[in-house]
Each structure stands twice: as structure tokens, then as C-alpha cells.
Amino acid sequence: MQKWVVANWKMNGSKNLLNEYKNAFAESSNLIICPPFVYLGEPAGLKLGAQNIYQQPKGAYTGEVSAQMLAELSVKYCLIGHSERRQYFHEANDIVRAKAETCLRAAITPIICIGETLEQYEAHQTTHVLEKQLAECLPNGTGFWVAYEPVWAIGTGHTPTIDEITAVHLMLREKLPSTTLLYGGSVNGDNAAAIFAINNVDGALVGGASLDVKAVEKIYNHASL
Ligand code: 13P
């Protein structure tokens, strides 16, 4: 079984990095790259995802990008509600949901990110927090993916234990039987095999390691079980 690898470059990368990806991967692979908007227009020969979208179809929203524009560039996926969007751009659950609905209308698969903060994790509130995010962020129907990204695991080198990821993904699977479920947060070439082996983890959302194509190749090699 081939699991997914979704590369979230965040506000990093370059045309060079895009070329390295083009040389290393084929469009047929289960790899989705989410570079900054400006690189989405380059003919990549890879599955493309955006990191964000604006929820209105068009209009006087200076600096924003619409679903239709992304669809025109053959963007098929879009990260929605990443914790950095929530933290720095104040995206609350209702906005996350509106953005996800906008994606679905444009035949773009929203990858809806959820996750607890360190404080919530330490207070054993993970399940409660995730259930609330699911209730408030998910659009009706199907067609979306969900990425579990504990905020405290992002860019820190710390991950939940295998048992903790297993428990969260079981909870998610029970609620979302046919949804693609990703885990994200400090995934690298060394821990990817163990993470991909977890039941109900359909792939990984990779941040920092996605800036090094050799590391992505290593992760991808573990994604085939
Ligand atoms: P890191 O892999 O750098 O922890 O980032 C995870 C992430 O935020 C992916 O969206």
C-alpha cells in the first residue's frame, strides 16, 4: 500500500528546489507538493497543492488568491487551517470551514489541519480539542482530507508516541471512515517508517524535511508498505 507524502514548504523554497523535486519524482507518485503560490504556475509535472486560499470567489480582496485561480493552474489540493494560519492570521474554525467549502466547489481537495497546543496536550484535552475542531471545521459531505498536526510537534523535533498517534487516528477513523488521514509534525527520514506503519495513518504532512529532496526521497521510500 502506498501512503501519501504531502510536502508543505511553508514560506520557503525556490525555483531550484522545484527543479530538484521535478527530477526526483513523477506526477504519478503519491507525493503532493505545496510550495508558495508563486511557484504553482510553473509546469511542475507533480501533484500540486496550495497552502491557503481565500474563501470568496472573487473581488476586492487585495493580496488574496481564489479557488478558481488555483484550479486554473491544475492545483488539486489545498492545505486549510494550518496551525500557522490559525496563529498568525487568526483563522478561526468558521473561516477554516468556509475555505474548505470553497475548495470543494472548485474541485480542489481541502486538507483540513487540526491539532492541539502543548498546553491542551499536557492538560489531556487532545480528544476534546480535536472533536470540537472537527465539529466546527468540517464541511458537509465528503471530499476533504484531514491532517492531524499537534501544534507542539510542528518544527520542534518532538512527536507524540506511536500509541498516541494510533489513538487519535482511530478516533478520527471512527468518525470519518473513508477520509484520507495524514499525520504531521516533525516527520523525517528516521521516524517516517514507524509513522507510516500506524493503522489509519494514510500519509504524512511534512514541513521542515520537505526542503531537502534527499530527506523527502527517504520518507517517500518508507511510504510504500
Ligand atoms: P515540520 O515537519 O517542520 O514539523 O512541520 C510540520 C507541518 O507544519 C507541516 O504542515
Side-chain angles (χ1 to χ4, degrees):
M1 178 189 180
Q2 183 66 47
K3 304 224 169 175
W4 289 94
V5 176
V6 181
N8 176 11
W9 293 7
K10 310 191 179 185
M11 199 176 72
N12 298 296
S14 60
K15 282 193 180 189
N16 257 350
L17 184 62
L18 194 63
N19 284 330
E20 287 180 37
Y21 266 84
K22 279 190 225 175
N23 294 335
F25 294 99
E27 190 161 7
S28 57
S29 40
N30 271 27
L31 174 90
I32 300 165
I33 58 163
C34 302
F37 283 134
V38 291
Y39 301 119
L40 290 172
E42 304 273 332
L46 293 167
K47 292 187 173 78
L48 290 177
Q51 298 175 14
N52 181 34
I53 198 170
Y54 197 58
Q55 59 270 34
Q56 297 296 338
K58 63 176 182 176
Y61 303 104
T62 301
E64 296 297 328
V65 171
S66 77
Q68 213 47 55
M69 294 168 191
L70 294 176
E72 239 177 43
L73 299 181
S74 302
V75 170
K76 297 281 191 282
Y77 304 87
C78 184
L79 302 178
I80 299 289
H82 190 281
S83 69
E84 288 147 18
R85 300 289 319 168
R86 295 174 187 262
Q87 182 183 351
Y88 301 125
F89 303 98
H90 314 295
E91 287 187 9
N93 290 343
D94 58 333
I95 294 179
V96 172
R97 184 183 172 131
K99 290 188 173 197
E101 286 168 348
T102 299
C103 286
L104 289 172
R105 278 195 293 274
I108 293 170
T109 300
I111 302 175
I112 300 167
C113 303
I114 58 171
E116 81 284 3
T117 63
L118 182 60
E119 198 183 9
Q120 292 164 336
Y121 170 76
E122 287 176 341
H124 306 287
Q125 291 172 346
T126 300
T127 305
H128 171 73
V129 169
L130 298 179
E131 282 178 342
K132 182 167 161 45
Q133 288 177 333
L134 290 174
E136 295 179 4
C137 295
L138 298 189
N140 293 328
T142 55
F144 54 84
W145 292 10
V146 169
Y148 170 50
E149 292 208 306
V151 179
W152 55 272
I154 295 175
T156 59
H158 300 298
T159 61
T161 64
I162 296 298
D163 283 352
E164 287 170 329
I165 300 174
T166 303
V168 166
H169 277 252
L170 178 61
M171 182 275 279
L172 294 174
R173 176 64 71 225
E174 283 169 358
K175 291 183 185 303
L176 302 165
S178 56
T179 297
T180 299
L181 302 174
L182 307 179
Y183 167 79
S186 293
V187 176
N188 58 44
D190 296 329
N191 61 20
I195 289 170
F196 286 131
I198 298 174
N199 270 344
N200 302 309
V201 170
D202 301 314
L205 180 51
V206 184
S210 76
L211 303 177
D212 173 358
V213 171
K214 289 270 169 286
V216 181
E217 284 179 310
K218 197 169 167 193
I219 293 169
Y220 194 81
N221 288 338
H222 290 303
S224 175
L225 298 187

